[in-house]
Amino acid sequence: MMDLTSPGTVRELITRHGFSFTKSLGQNFILSRNALERMIAASGIDSETGVLEIGPGIGTLTQAIAEHAGLVAAVEIDRALLPILAETLSDYQNVRVYREDALKLDLPVFCQVALPVSKRVVCANLPYYITTQAVTRLLESKLFLQITLLLQKEAVDRLCAHPGDPAYCAASVIVRYYATPKLLFRVSPDSFMPRPKVASAVLSLTPYERGLSEEQEQLFLKIVQAAFAQRRKTLQNALSASSFCDRERVQAAIRACGFREDIRGEALDVNDFLCLTEAFLQ
Ligand code: SAM
């Protein structure tokens, strides 16, 4: 097996294939064996597990996953990486590479075809530009038992934030609706080729089922988006300004939950937003 955590080996491989990095695709390849091993352990991958990897790059994390998993579906957008992946993954019969944009996948259909197992997880070093969209789609799909992602540290802080934290935003609430987020460990910029300008960290998302109906869930998401769309306004004004509810119902819902009249959305946690959702449905 080729050691893809060795900078010399990576340089020789990509030069031989005439590959050059595309910055806009977030191509920073991991070089830390320690980070790979910790990501695999956190994902709970075993021989029964089917793993979705978004953006395999040259196959560094893919190889590590394939050593432990039953099946790996690796989705890579950059056609130029396919010949490299064919070489680096040639020893692994349990890996399939799909040339696709991960954001355009119909996840239920894709998983039915590419990962037809009951235990599915995601383990990926995401291209940072798709973080919010990818995390939202993965969680909304409810297809995965565990999601372990290497992300920009700033994004991890945002997704793990609590009310009162400067990074607290709609995404912090939405993530906590679907899963328990946890910052597992930091990864230094020196652990990548090329070296990114920003710090990175590994995020663990352990999904759980809330048991809400589709209608309740959609209302919950609308309330959260509306509350954070105008952060400087009170919750009452922010929700009244949105299209889905008039002021009287907003006031009644805020009262029913026992919140102060002048409370702002950014002071509420996920349970408070669930209380509001229930109050709107009364
Ligand atoms: N997994 C590799 C590693 O850890 O070294 C590479 C990670 S690199 C940060 C991100 C990878 O995602 C790149 O290979 C890039 O080409 C790919 N990528 C970027 N946008 C993508 C998209 N929309 N769908 C699938 N892959 C994408």
Side-chain angles (χ1 to χ4, degrees):
M1 183 181 83
M2 211 180 276
D3 179 9
L4 298 173
T5 58
S6 149
T9 305
V10 175
R11 250 178 251 116
E12 184 281 323
L13 177 74
I14 62 177
T15 308
R16 182 157 47 77
H17 283 270
F19 174 80
S20 46
F21 292 95
T22 305
K23 209 175 160 192
S24 62
L25 289 177
Q27 292 179 335
N28 300 95
F29 300 153
I30 186 83
L31 294 170
S32 163
R33 178 148 303 282
N34 182 262
L36 295 176
E37 281 166 10
R38 291 176 75 181
M39 283 181 76
I40 304 294
S43 303
I45 296 170
D46 59 24
S47 59
E48 307 286 294
T49 315
V51 184
L52 170 64
E53 186 193 6
I54 296 174
I58 56 172
T60 319
L61 177 59
T62 327
Q63 287 185 341
I65 298 170
E67 292 285 337
H68 298 83
L71 194 55
V72 190
V75 178
E76 174 57 58
I77 200 169
D78 188 354
R79 202 177 289 281
L81 287 164
L82 299 187
I84 299 183
L85 287 166
E87 178 178 338
T88 58
L89 301 175
S90 61
D91 289 342
Y92 299 96
Q93 305 311 309
N94 55 347
V95 180
R96 301 275 176 284
V97 175
Y98 298 84
R99 216 294 301 172
E100 300 274 1
D101 178 345
L103 294 182
K104 295 197 175 138
L105 286 182
D106 180 331
L107 279 172
V109 173
F110 179 79
C111 284
Q112 212 174 11
V113 175
L115 294 169
V117 289
S118 57
K119 186 179 173 194
R120 286 192 204 104
V121 306
V122 180
C123 186
N125 171 11
L126 275 195
Y128 297 156
Y129 79 101
I130 67 170
T131 300
T132 308
Q133 260 182 293
V135 169
T136 310
R137 294 189 86 228
L138 293 172
L139 289 173
E140 278 175 359
S141 77
K142 300 180 180 162
L143 288 163
F144 304 100
L145 290 174
Q146 170 66 32
I147 300 171
T148 309
L149 302 171
L150 177 47
L151 301 173
Q152 203 170 325
K153 162 79 170 46
E154 204 181 284
V156 177
D157 288 341
R158 212 169 49 236
L159 299 177
C160 293
H162 293 279
D165 293 343
Y168 193 56
C169 60
S172 326
V173 183
I174 292 169
V175 159
R176 249 172 234 279
Y177 169 78
Y178 289 109
T180 304
K182 191 167 178 217
L183 186 159
L184 293 183
F185 57 94
R186 292 157 184 249
V187 183
S188 138
D190 296 326
S191 300
F192 298 90
M193 180 192 288
R195 188 183 192 280
K197 288 200 178 79
V198 293
S200 301
V202 173
L203 172 72
S204 159
L205 294 170
T206 309
Y208 50 77
E209 185 48 66
R210 290 266 181 194
L212 262 61
S213 69
E214 180 65 26
E215 184 203 3
Q216 291 169 319
E217 194 165 301
Q218 288 312 312
L219 178 61
F220 168 84
L221 295 173
K222 271 193 201 165
I223 294 172
V224 175
Q225 300 288 7
F228 282 90
Q230 308 194 30
R231 299 183 71 119
R232 286 167 183 275
K233 290 195 174 180
T234 62
L235 178 69
Q236 196 177 120
N237 286 341
L239 296 186
S240 302
S242 68
S243 58
F244 68 93
C245 212
D246 60 56
R247 182 171 290 272
E248 270 172 35
R249 280 189 69 200
V250 171
Q251 284 172 335
I254 289 176
R255 265 197 309 274
C257 293
F259 303 146
R260 279 194 345 249
E261 247 180 45
D262 62 347
I263 199 157
R264 288 170 194 246
E266 62 191 14
L268 305 183
D269 68 12
V270 65
N271 292 320
D272 296 330
F273 280 106
L274 285 166
C275 176
L276 272 179
T277 308
E278 217 178 290
F280 271 113
L281 288 168
Q282 295 302 312

